[in-house]
């Protein structure tokens, strides 16, 4: 219940979701493929994930980033990816693993298998290894459905979402929820009403 009681760093600090949370929350995204990369453009905060498919490995001195560094290879019709260098966010203070508020460390390593299991379905099988936060590896599966407008051959725009936009345009600090001024974070009496709930 961490999200509802105001502990979410995405609300509290306007932090990006980053990977893997942006995918685990089933946010809408589009896939673009080029000769050497696959891009996933998420509409939540315009977060962009880049998967290198040109045979390179991870850099020796890997910088920690919100989305991490992804390399992939094709195994038949399955894109197998290896993700490292994911910013841990001080064990949940700045970044969460998922909507439930579970933390992860900078040692998080994800192996992912992406494949289309039906015309309208994309399946992500993910294995998480994080010795800095968990005692054993664990797995999850995310299944994304094709936008129904795509089946009809129509390209339909997804509404832009900018985190903390209410804070940008608020006339007074008290009109934005949540508004973090650096003082103690005010816990809401009731959860806000909006598309998140």
């Amino acid at each position: 219940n961490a999200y509802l009681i105001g502990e979410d760093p995405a609300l509290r600090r306007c932090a990006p979701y980053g990977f893997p949370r942006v995918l685990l929350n089933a946010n809408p995204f589009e896939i673009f493929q080029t000769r050497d990369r696959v891009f996933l453009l998420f509409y939540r905060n315009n977060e962009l994930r880049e998967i290198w498919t040109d045979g390179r490995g991870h850099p020796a001195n890997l910088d920690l980033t919100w989305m991490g560094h992804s390399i992939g290879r094709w195994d038949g019709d399955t894109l197998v990816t290896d993700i490292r260098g994911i910013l841990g966010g001080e064990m949940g203070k700045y970044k969460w693993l998922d909507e439930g508020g579970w933390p992860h460390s900078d040692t998080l390593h994800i192996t992912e298998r992406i494949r289309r299991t039906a015309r309208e379905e994309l399946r992500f099988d993910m294995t998480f290894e994080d010795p800095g936060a968990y005692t054993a590896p664990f797995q999850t599966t995310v299944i994304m459905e094709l936008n129904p407008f795509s089946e009809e051959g129509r390209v339909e725009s997804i509404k832009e979402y900018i985190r903390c936009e209410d804070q940008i345009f608020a006339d007074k600090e008290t009109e934005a929820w949540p508004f973090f001024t650096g003082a103690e974070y005010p816990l809401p009496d009731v959860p806000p009403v909006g598309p998140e709930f």
Side-chain angles (χ1 to χ4, degrees):
N1 205 25
Y3 179 86
L4 294 179
I5 62 172
E7 296 176 2
D8 189 344
L11 292 175
R12 187 173 181 162
R13 300 177 180 274
C14 295
Y17 275 1
F19 191 76
R21 183 178 178 184
V22 72
L23 177 68
L24 296 176
N25 280 16
N27 289 290
F29 65 90
E30 287 187 71
I31 299 174
F32 303 91
Q33 185 173 348
T34 65
R35 182 178 51 82
D36 59 356
R37 284 178 284 181
V38 174
F39 295 96
L40 283 73
L41 175 61
F42 293 88
Y43 281 84
R44 178 163 303 267
N45 297 321
N46 301 307
E47 294 188 47
L48 180 68
R49 181 173 174 212
E50 175 182 61
I51 304 170
W52 289 94
T53 57
D54 60 358
R56 73 179 63 202
H58 295 293
N61 297 318
L62 191 58
D63 290 329
L64 297 175
T65 63
W66 293 92
M67 295 302 245
H69 187 266
S70 298
I71 54 175
R73 63 176 174 76
W74 288 100
D75 180 10
D77 64 352
T78 301
L79 179 60
V80 181
T81 68
D82 186 85
I83 308 103
R84 296 179 186 269
I86 305 169
L87 177 70
E90 291 189 30
M91 295 303 293
K93 183 175 180 183
Y94 304 116
K95 184 172 182 278
W96 285 355
L97 181 76
D98 64 359
E99 191 79 358
W102 294 102
H104 69 85
S105 76
D106 294 342
T107 63
L108 177 62
H109 169 228
I110 301 172
T111 305
E112 175 184 53
R113 298 180 62 83
I114 307 169
R115 66 188 171 98
R116 199 169 193 168
T117 53
R119 183 185 182 284
E120 67 286 343
E121 184 178 279
L122 195 62
R123 179 181 174 121
F124 294 77
D125 291 308
M126 305 170 77
T127 300
F128 300 83
E129 298 173 85
D130 189 351
Y134 300 99
T135 57
F138 57 96
Q139 298 177 327
T140 193
T141 296
V142 175
I143 297 177
M144 302 293 285
E145 294 181 359
L146 185 68
N147 183 331
F149 293 116
S150 299
E151 295 178 15
E152 300 170 8
R154 297 181 359 213
V155 177
E156 198 68 30
S157 176
I158 299 171
K159 187 175 191 266
E160 179 182 63
Y161 178 88
I162 304 297
R163 182 173 321 289
C164 302
E165 189 172 24
D166 62 331
Q167 293 181 20
I168 296 167
F169 297 109
D171 290 331
K172 294 186 249 177
E173 293 179 3
T174 55
E175 292 178 1
W177 192 97
F179 193 92
F180 184 67
T181 60
E184 184 64 27
Y185 182 73
L187 298 180
D189 292 330
V190 294
V193 178
E196 298 290 323
F197 298 93

